[in-house]
Structures are given as C-alpha cells and as structure tokens.
Amino acid sequence: MQVQDLRSRAAVRFLNKNGIAAAVSQKEITTTSNYEDVEYPKGFVGDLAQFICNTGYKQQKWISIGASIALCSAVLGQRVKTESGMRCNVFINALAPTAAGKEHGRRMIDRILCVAGAENIIAGDEIASDVGIIDQLSHQPQLIYLLDEFGKFIRRTSVGSNPYLVGILEMLMKLYGVSDGTYRSGWKKTDHENSRKVIIQPHLVLYATATPEQFWPTLNTDLISNGFLNRFFIFENEEETPIEQNVTEPVIPPRIIEQIKELYSLPVVPLGSLSAEPMPLLVRADDKAKALLANAQLYWREKSNEDNKARDLWKRANDMTRKLSLILCAANFTKERRGQITEVEMSDAIRITNKLCTNASNKALEYLGDTNHERFLMKLYHKIKERSTGISNRELSRCFQSVSASYRSQILDQLVEAGRIKPMKIQNSERISKGWIALDD
C-alpha cells in the first residue's frame, strides 16, 4: 500500500471523526466579516476606543476596542480585583490583513502611556526569553508588551525551537495564572550565594498584532488543550479594505490623558497601610450584573460541552467576562469616585466575550488539525463551503497558488470520498468549467 493511500484514509477518518467539519455552519463562518453591529462599550473604555479608531488611517472599530481594553488593563494593574480575587490582566491579539491599519492601536497605546507619564510599564516590542520576562517583572511588576508578527512569534516558540524560546509560552501561561499570587523562580547560585526572583502579584499584559493568514495556521490541538490560546482575547477584522480615513497626526485629548493619569495614580497599597504587598481595591458586582452573568454561564456551559475540538475555547468565557467587566467598570474610577460593576458593564462584557469566543472557535474548527496535511484539507474544504453556488478549479488554483495541482487534486478526491463535496459544472460568460460544491450537513 502506498503512503498516499494511507494518508488519504487518515484524512477521511479525520473529516468524519466527531463530525468536525459538519459542526461549522455557513452562517457561523461568515459572521466574523460583518462589523456593522459592533458597538463601543459604555464609559471610558469606549471613549478611548473611539478616539483610537477615529485617528487611524483605516477604520478599525473592533480592533480599537481591543487596544483600549489592553491599555486600561495595563494602567489598572495591581489596583483592582473582583470579589473572587480575579485581577484585570489580559492577553489580547489583534488580527487584520496586511496594510489594514492594525498597527495603529499598538502605536497609540505606546504614545498615550508615554504622554501620561506611564512609560515605565512598557516592556518593549519583543520577548527574548522566559528569563528576560522575569528580569523585567522583578524590577517593574506591572508591564505591557506590544508585539508585532505574533504568528511568527508562536512558530518560533513552539516545541523544537531554540530552548530559550520554547520556555516563553509556558512562562506566559504561568504568569497569567499567578496575577493574584506570587511567582518564585528557582534558586540560582551567584557570587557564592543562592538567590531567586520573587514577584508578588505580577501583572503582565500582552497586546499583539498579526495577520489572520499568519496566525490561524499556527494552531494545533496542544495550544488549545494546554490553555494558551483560550487565555487570549482575539479581536479579528477580516475586511481586506477597511474604510479609509483622512486623518492628521493624532492630538490626544486632555480628558484622556487626565483619566489615564488618574487610573495610574490609584494606590497599589492603601495610604497608611504597613503592608509591602499590593492590596487591590475590591470591585463588587451588583445583583442585576450577577443575574446577567449567571444566565450567560448556562450558554457557555452548553458551548463547552459540544463534541468538537474547539470547545475548550469556551471554557474561559466566564473568566474573560469577569475580567472585562472589571476593566470596563474600573476604567471610570478616579481617586474620589469609585463604583460597582452594573448591568451596563456586565452586558457589554458578555457581548464582547460571546463575539470573541464565537469567532475563535469557528476559526479553530476551520484550521484545526494535528498535521499540515489535515490543516490544509480543512482550509480547502471551508474555501469551497464559503461559496454556496460552487467554486471553479480556476478559482481554487488562484486561492492556493503555492500548492501543486496534483496535491490539490488528491485533497479534493479525499473530500469527495468523505462525502463533504461533489463535482459540478460551472457556467461562466465564456465556457463551462469544472468546479466543486459543498454538500449540505
């Protein structure tokens, strides 16, 4: 038996196993490209997002909301917590096509923090090693990294890479989980004495950018099952040509600078306290907000119990919403004015979480596979499924120019054998050509 036959059979089993391909409907796949229904959250986070969006040369409303959340999370570090002790540290990944304006949010975060006098919490735009992260946090336990080319970063830090890079992902996950505790490094002998790094309540925020084509193909089941991917808030805008905006160099409004200064000046340790540890302000949720959250939890439980490989992405929806509602509420605080999480903040947090998790789980199902062969098979299948009236061989060739015709033909045969597609004739203005159409689930 030839290797190709073995791979064909494995591919068919992969497609049929647990109904992975059939679990994604056309409606679910296409929802991510419609951003007309995106609303800014209420309060300062929404005001800041609107400013970021309006000052970019491309209109990126959804991604600007992610940038605003990351910035507010960074300045609120070690200052606020929920009733359960949850902190507001977040990892955010902004995805948009090349030259679509996704870099603007990253630049504005840097610029606003510098103008507001909080430049010292900017960790930089690259991570060299896990040890480097700890060295920075030991001097400044409240940091934000502003990373570009995040898809390439994931590939570099995957298993099999340089050992100094492989430890980065594990360290990021560890620090994400101890934001309400203490990180202790291993003992290290230096100058005839043993020492180690101890960081109390480390607050690490990531704001990364990438193209969808660069990021999603890096997915594998390990990144989902080990909890790395579902720690991220993935704000994606797939629009190839977002609205152009005739803008001048941004002038940051004084009210935004003043509010960032207010947030950054909130005490880490209450005045008069003898404690050397951070004592964040407790931010409670009112009864209406708790009722909204309880209702949303029922939906998330259903999604996390679905029989597909992307279900783990819904298992942190509860945590994501709690963090978001905390940020949306606390971003309006001043030294004199505090408040509770109300149904307004909770409703916005739930709406954003559902949109993020729906898109991430759909894309994971679209690209998920344990091998490059399986990932390409899924990608080709969903490209055909996107065209409800069918797609011609010529169009497929243009979409996958880097793939040989023989390999593409082999994949198409496997999809036919699995009952996912069937051949068809497509009539155009010049001739009838061979094409393919996805079968109904």
Side-chain angles (χ1 to χ4, degrees):
M1 184 178 292
Q2 295 183 358
V3 173
Q4 178 174 319
D5 295 330
L6 289 171
R7 186 160 64 176
S8 297
R9 293 186 179 185
V12 172
R13 287 197 302 272
F14 169 73
L15 280 167
N16 288 318
K17 182 181 179 182
N18 297 325
I20 291 173
V24 186
S25 69
Q26 173 67 16
K27 180 179 178 182
E28 286 176 322
I29 293 173
T30 57
T31 51
T32 57
S33 61
N34 182 11
Y35 292 87
E36 295 177 359
D37 62 338
V38 171
E39 296 180 5
Y40 292 113
K42 309 295 189 299
F44 180 70
V45 170
D47 294 342
L48 177 58
Q50 190 167 6
F51 166 72
I52 293 173
C53 180
N54 291 344
T55 54
Y57 74 97
K58 298 284 182 70
Q59 190 178 90
Q60 288 287 5
K61 189 174 181 180
W62 185 230
I63 286 178
S64 296
I65 293 172
S68 177
I69 291 169
L71 175 51
C72 292
S73 168
V75 295
L76 284 167
Q78 299 188 319
R79 289 161 174 79
V80 292
K81 66 179 180 180
T82 66
E83 293 169 272
S84 64
M86 181 171 290
R87 304 310 201 261
C88 64
N89 57 312
V90 295
F91 291 174
I92 289 179
N93 189 11
L95 302 180
T98 301
K102 61 183 177 294
E103 302 84 4
H104 180 67
R106 197 176 66 249
R107 292 169 184 160
M108 291 308 298
I109 292 174
D110 186 293
R111 184 168 180 175
I112 292 171
L113 287 175
C114 289
V115 175
E119 183 181 6
N120 61 319
I121 70 174
I122 302 174
D125 57 6
E126 63 179 28
I127 302 176
S129 66
D130 55 343
V131 175
I133 300 173
I134 297 305
D135 283 343
Q136 286 185 289
L137 283 171
S138 64
H139 292 95
Q140 170 57 265
Q142 176 189 1
L143 291 174
I144 179 171
Y145 279 100
L146 303 172
L147 308 176
D148 193 15
E149 305 288 355
F150 193 62
K152 293 180 180 178
F153 173 83
I154 293 293
R155 283 197 294 272
R156 287 200 306 271
T157 54
S158 298
V159 177
S161 303
N162 185 311
Y164 289 102
L165 298 177
V166 172
I168 292 176
L169 296 188
E170 184 178 346
M171 181 58 68
L172 291 176
M173 287 194 291
K174 186 178 297 184
L175 291 169
Y176 185 94
V178 297
S179 59
D180 61 344
T182 302
Y183 170 81
R184 295 178 177 86
S185 70
W187 289 98
K188 184 178 180 181
K189 188 169 185 179
T190 56
D191 298 329
H192 308 292
E193 64 178 14
N194 292 326
S195 64
R196 66 175 178 178
K197 300 287 176 63
V198 178
I199 307 168
I200 301 173
Q201 297 180 31
H203 184 86
L204 183 65
V205 176
L206 296 185
Y207 183 78
T209 55
T211 63
E213 298 81 10
Q214 178 194 84
F215 175 74
W216 291 117
T218 65
L219 287 186
N220 57 56
T221 52
D222 288 340
L223 287 177
I224 295 178
S225 61
N226 68 13
F228 181 74
L229 188 63
N230 60 17
R231 283 172 167 82
F232 273 86
F233 297 60
I234 303 175
F235 288 80
E236 178 179 13
N237 189 342
E238 292 179 313
E239 293 175 324
E240 293 285 348
T241 54
I243 297 173
E244 297 271 359
Q245 301 184 133
N246 296 319
V247 296
T248 57
E249 184 177 1
V251 177
I252 305 170
R255 60 183 176 81
I256 287 180
I257 297 302
E258 289 306 313
Q259 182 59 18
I260 295 296
K261 288 182 177 180
E262 282 280 353
L263 298 179
Y264 193 52
S265 65
L266 292 174
V268 174
V269 178
L271 187 64
S273 173
L274 300 178
S275 174
E277 296 186 7
M279 298 178 64
L281 174 69
L282 175 61
V283 182
R284 301 181 185 277
D286 66 20
D287 290 340
K288 290 183 177 179
K290 290 179 180 178
L292 281 176
L293 181 61
N295 187 56
Q297 287 168 343
L298 298 176
Y299 173 69
W300 298 330
R301 192 173 297 119
E302 290 180 5
K303 300 298 290 185
S304 62
N305 287 329
E306 289 182 350
D307 189 16
N308 61 61
K309 292 185 178 182
R311 65 184 182 181
D312 288 342
L313 292 171
W314 287 93
K315 291 183 178 179
R316 287 190 183 269
N318 184 50
D319 290 353
M320 291 171 68
T321 300
R322 289 176 183 272
K323 284 180 181 286
L324 277 174
S325 61
L326 175 61
I327 295 168
L328 294 176
C329 176
N332 301 308
F333 287 3
T334 65
K335 287 192 281 296
E336 293 78 26
R337 185 182 72 248
R338 310 291 166 83
Q340 288 187 318
I341 298 171
T342 69
E343 60 182 332
V344 173
E345 291 87 22
M346 188 63 73
S347 178
D348 280 338
I350 292 170
R351 174 174 54 83
I352 293 171
T353 297
N354 284 342
K355 192 173 183 67
L356 293 173
C357 289
T358 297
N359 180 63
S361 59
N362 286 343
K363 284 305 181 73
L365 287 171
E366 180 178 349
Y367 285 92
L368 202 58
D370 295 323
T371 66
N372 289 334
H373 181 71
E374 290 177 351
R375 284 192 285 272
F376 178 69
L377 186 146
M378 294 296 288
K379 191 172 183 179
L380 184 63
Y381 168 67
H382 284 291
K383 176 58 66 175
I384 296 172
K385 195 173 182 180
E386 284 174 8
R387 306 291 183 86
S388 58
T389 58
I391 185 171
S392 68
N393 268 336
R394 178 173 293 185
E395 288 180 280
L396 280 179
S397 298
R398 283 198 294 265
C399 293
F400 302 100
Q401 296 181 26
S402 61
V403 178
S404 68
S406 59
Y407 183 50
R408 189 170 60 251
S409 177
Q410 177 191 340
I411 296 295
L412 291 168
D413 289 343
Q414 292 168 11
L415 289 169
V416 170
E417 184 180 348
R420 302 301 181 188
I421 66 172
K422 68 177 182 180
M424 66 175 296
K425 300 294 183 181
I426 295 180
Q427 175 75 56
N428 56 36
S429 57
E430 300 176 357
R431 60 180 179 178
I432 297 177
S433 58
K434 184 178 179 180
W436 307 90
I437 189 168
L439 297 175
D440 293 334
D441 298 328

